Amino acid sequence: MTSKAERTTAFIIEKVAPVFNKQGYIGTSMSDLTEVTGLTKGAIYGNFENKESLALAAFEHLSSKLLAAIDDRLTGGGHTLDILFRLTDFYRHYDEFTAPMGGCPILNVGVDAQYNNRHLLGAARETLRTIEGKIALVLENGVNKGEIKLPVPPLQFAKQMFTMIQGAISMATISGDRKYLLNTIAYLEVLMKREMNI
């Protein structure tokens, strides 16, 4: 059973995570945080050392949700291409998944923190590397089982895949046109079939 303090901490993180994700570290004020939580500044900072620790906890919360959703697609049986297509299908609807979060946490926090918070930037980079590693593991297992072939090492292919996905997310977000995402995912699936089929 969780304590009252743990429940309060979880409540704060849940409420402030989309605010930090949408408005950025610098752009989020203490009044934004008190407004969204309904708590006083003292009550918030009774649970967190400072704004940075709260922002990091908020990012980790969103990152954990994203990684869990990706794990759901990458685990389970099936041919390697089927597993990868479950992932691309997830990203085909990524804007719907991230809407309650305030958008893509990797994109938002990674760009926002680039020049103002190295700890948040480091956390975003770590999440990015984790996702690339998860994709690379699926690819490596597929090669080892003889289900797919790759023109380059698994991690390099995973990085290129994720670059295309994350680039499409960026373009769809900036332009407000989800066709960037849909068309890139469709092309990526064609590319995977062509490049990987034995």
Side-chain angles (χ1 to χ4, degrees), residues 84-106:
L84 293 170
F85 288 158
R86 288 198 301 263
L87 180 69
T88 53
D89 191 57
F90 167 70
Y91 276 107
R92 186 176 279 110
H93 305 281
Y94 187 67
D95 52 339
E96 297 160 21
F97 175 78
T98 58
M101 300 178 168
C104 174
I106 297 173

Side-chain angles (χ1 to χ4, degrees), residues 9-86:
T9 298
F11 168 79
I12 292 168
I13 291 170
E14 183 79 35
K15 291 292 186 183
V16 304
V19 178
F20 273 116
N21 196 29
K22 279 191 266 194
Q23 298 178 192
Y25 179 69
I26 299 291
T28 301
S29 68
M30 197 64 223
S31 63
D32 293 325
L33 304 179
T34 56
E35 184 180 328
V36 75
T37 59
L39 300 172
T40 64
K41 179 179 176 180
I44 293 171
Y45 283 146
N47 291 274
F48 297 92
E49 186 181 339
N50 53 34
K51 182 181 172 183
E52 182 179 69
S53 66
L54 179 54
L56 278 165
F59 175 76
E60 292 299 337
H61 172 70
L62 298 181
S63 175
S64 294
K65 282 186 171 184
L66 174 57
L67 293 173
I70 289 170
D71 283 341
D72 282 349
R73 276 57 178 199
L74 296 182
T75 54
H79 189 280
T80 301
L81 279 174
D82 294 330
I83 296 169
L84 293 170
F85 288 158
R86 288 198 301 263

